[in-house]
Amino acid sequence: MSKQRLNIIKIITMILIVASLIISGKAFLAHRNYKEAVVAGPSVTEVKTLGDYFAPLKGSVADCNIYILDSGKPGGTIFLIGGSHPEEPATNLTAEIFAENAVLKQGKLIIAIRANRSASTVTRPGDAYPQFYNIKTDWGTKKFRMGDRWSNPLDSWPDPEVYVHYPSKQMLAYMDIRNINRTWPGKKDGSITEQICYGFMNVIKEENVDLFIDLHEAELEYPVISTIVAHESGQNIAAMASMMLTDMEFAEPIGIEFSPKSLHGLSHREIGDHSDAVSLLFETPEPFLDRVRGVTDERLLLEGKDPFVMRAGKFGLLYESIDEDGWPIDVRVGRHCSTTLMVSQIWNQTNPGKGVIIENIPKYADVIDNGVGHYFKNPDEAVAEKVFYE
Amino acid sequence: MGILNTVIEFSYYLLSAFIAFVLIREIYKTENYQEAVLYSVILVPFILRILRIK
């Protein structure tokens, strides 16, 4: 090949590479910097950030909003977090429904919609994840960032060869040093994800949290699904909630799992062990996460229908049933809303004087009837002081 | 611990910059067009990481 022809190929290649860098770079930056508007609900009395509880995080990518809903009437305190794993959208959508709608009649409710903000600023292009998803509301379409299970490598890099959990010293998978549900109870001078958990532990201690709820979703191939995972201190509440919801509300049952004592870093284990709070974790099914799924797009994320996952079910490879109706986002969010309400109701019955009475939150059947979007407020019509950005 | 993490992270950015430099030099020097295309593709993630975009 002549020198001139070689140079032409090199120049064309570099032009194509620079063009792809610009196009992909713009898309990545747009996703990382996209802000979701949240209209603080009627009972939100204060909006702090995680940095208010752990100063090193102030102003950082991990500095998520902490919504405080205080009834002014003495009672208990419930702390609800969504977005631990931002690839599980029913979690942040549920937390946002609570932040925008809940009316507190007694006690205090604290909410983090995007518990791991860093993980919500990155997706998995190699797994064909969409960057955003859109929810239809009564006033238009609301756009949300899709995220990943792990904190953004831009905020925590490189991973160690082996992640040694603090303080148990248990050895875990290397990438789980960026997994917020493997870094509890956190470490003051650790990685950013360990610091996030340390910050949340400060919230739990400073706000005297009585009941902690961590929202999640799981693939149907995973055995811990459609369940409440409970620390020993919360087993009675979880068992009662599981029975009540299965009997009275849900089309498909919700179970209970005991938090394993020897598996460290998970919220249901470490928060119960390192604070006075009762710790529970809720799981709903999300076919989007299954490894055997087909086309990976926004439709699968929101409708939860996939023929390949269904086929896996026919071969008995799943831990949850799935049919042509799939697991739509309305069903998943509805289950999280009802489970949270039921758990708080049982908490109130079993802890007189420490009640947290939450009203104006839709139950399972309401969310299915009206759709998730029905419960989101229009930020353009809200007073500016009431609008916060995630 | 925090300082050590920062030092390690910074050294990884230096390593990425060095690898990007070597790739660019090889793209310039090679007389095989397939190698030039291959090195260009490999270069993309290093540039995105050095610029802290991805």
Side-chain angles (χ1 to χ4, degrees), chain A residues 70-77 105-108 210 352-357:
Chain A
D70 193 345
S71 66
K73 193 175 169 190
T77 301
K105 294 292 182 185
Q106 187 188 349
K108 198 194 281 190
D210 297 299
K354 282 203 161 190
V356 181
I357 300 176

Side-chain angles (χ1 to χ4, degrees), chain A residues 207-234:
Chain A
E207 300 289 349
N208 298 315
V209 171
D210 297 299
L211 176 62
F212 178 87
I213 297 170
D214 186 8
L215 302 176
H216 283 264
E217 296 199 89
E219 56 269 50
L220 284 70
E221 295 161 281
Y222 187 60
V224 184
I225 190 166
S226 298
T227 192
I228 304 171
V229 189
H231 187 268
E232 299 87 271
S233 54

Side-chain angles (χ1 to χ4, degrees), chain A residues 20-92:
Chain A
S20 70
L21 274 171
I22 293 170
I23 293 167
S24 61
K26 278 179 76 172
F28 291 140
L29 283 175
H31 177 260
R32 185 165 165 82
N33 297 319
Y34 182 75
K35 303 236 183 299
E36 299 161 4
V38 175
V39 181
S43 283
V44 174
T45 47
E46 194 177 7
V47 179
K48 293 185 174 178
T49 68
L50 195 56
D52 293 328
Y53 297 90
F54 184 45
L57 294 179
K58 194 71 185 171
S60 74
V61 70
D63 196 16
C64 66
N65 289 332
I66 307 286
Y67 299 83
I68 297 175
L69 291 72
D70 193 345
S71 66
K73 193 175 169 190
T77 301
I78 295 178
F79 190 5
L80 174 70
I81 69 167
S84 288
H85 294 152
E87 62 173 355
E88 299 161 11
T91 67
N92 54 286

Side-chain angles (χ1 to χ4, degrees), chain A residues 51-306:
Chain A
D52 293 328
Y53 297 90
F54 184 45
L57 294 179
K58 194 71 185 171
S60 74
V61 70
D63 196 16
C64 66
N65 289 332
I66 307 286
Y67 299 83
I68 297 175
L69 291 72
D70 193 345
S71 66
K73 193 175 169 190
T77 301
I78 295 178
F79 190 5
L80 174 70
I81 69 167
S84 288
H85 294 152
E87 62 173 355
E88 299 161 11
T91 67
N92 54 286
L93 295 176
T94 302
E96 190 164 328
I97 286 177
F98 273 79
E100 292 200 347
N101 297 277
V103 174
L104 264 283
K105 294 292 182 185
Q106 187 188 349
K108 198 194 281 190
L109 175 66
I110 303 172
I111 302 168
I113 295 171
R114 290 286 191 182
N116 190 350
R117 262 207 84 244
S118 172
S120 77
T121 65
V122 63
T123 62
R124 273 187 247 171
D127 277 16
Y129 276 26
Q131 284 193 301
F132 298 97
Y133 54 93
N134 297 281
I135 301 288
K136 281 183 188 161
T137 70
D138 298 346
W139 42 268
T141 300
K142 187 163 185 179
K143 186 175 166 183
F144 294 85
R145 285 193 308 276
M146 176 58 175
D148 198 359
R149 182 177 175 84
W150 298 283
S151 298
N152 195 332
L154 288 180
D155 307 316
S156 180
W157 187 57
D159 294 335
E161 289 292 315
V162 175
Y163 160 45
V164 182
H165 172 259
Y166 178 84
S168 71
K169 296 185 179 172
Q170 184 169 58
M171 288 190 282
L172 299 171
Y174 69 96
M175 69 288 195
D176 277 339
I177 196 167
R178 289 183 286 118
N179 180 350
I180 196 179
N181 205 28
R182 295 295 182 279
T183 52
W184 295 97
K187 192 177 180 189
K188 194 175 183 180
D189 62 348
S191 70
I192 193 164
T193 318
E194 290 175 307
Q195 290 189 7
I196 291 168
C197 288
Y198 184 85
F200 278 123
M201 288 304 291
N202 285 351
V203 178
I204 290 166
K205 287 167 187 167
E206 286 180 30
E207 300 289 349
N208 298 315
V209 171
D210 297 299
L211 176 62
F212 178 87
I213 297 170
D214 186 8
L215 302 176
H216 283 264
E217 296 199 89
E219 56 269 50
L220 284 70
E221 295 161 281
Y222 187 60
V224 184
I225 190 166
S226 298
T227 192
I228 304 171
V229 189
H231 187 268
E232 299 87 271
S233 54
Q235 283 172 4
N236 291 344
I237 296 172
M240 183 61 81
S242 158
M243 285 190 287
M244 299 284 279
L245 291 166
T246 300
D247 183 49
M248 295 165 60
E249 289 198 50
F250 293 168
E252 297 291 333
I254 183 167
I256 171 177
E257 305 273 342
F258 299 141
S259 171
K261 286 184 179 174
S262 55
L263 179 54
H264 290 282
L266 295 109
S267 62
H268 48 74
R269 166 54 39 205
E270 306 296 347
I271 292 171
D273 283 356
H274 292 90
S275 76
D276 295 330
V278 170
S279 183
L280 302 174
L281 183 150
F282 305 164
E283 293 276 11
T284 60
E286 184 188 357
F288 181 93
L289 298 177
D290 278 283
R291 304 310 298 177
V292 296
R293 67 181 184 263
V295 177
T296 305
D297 57 5
E298 185 183 353
R299 192 173 162 185
L300 173 58
L301 185 68
L302 298 180
E303 294 182 6
K305 296 175 189 171
D306 186 278

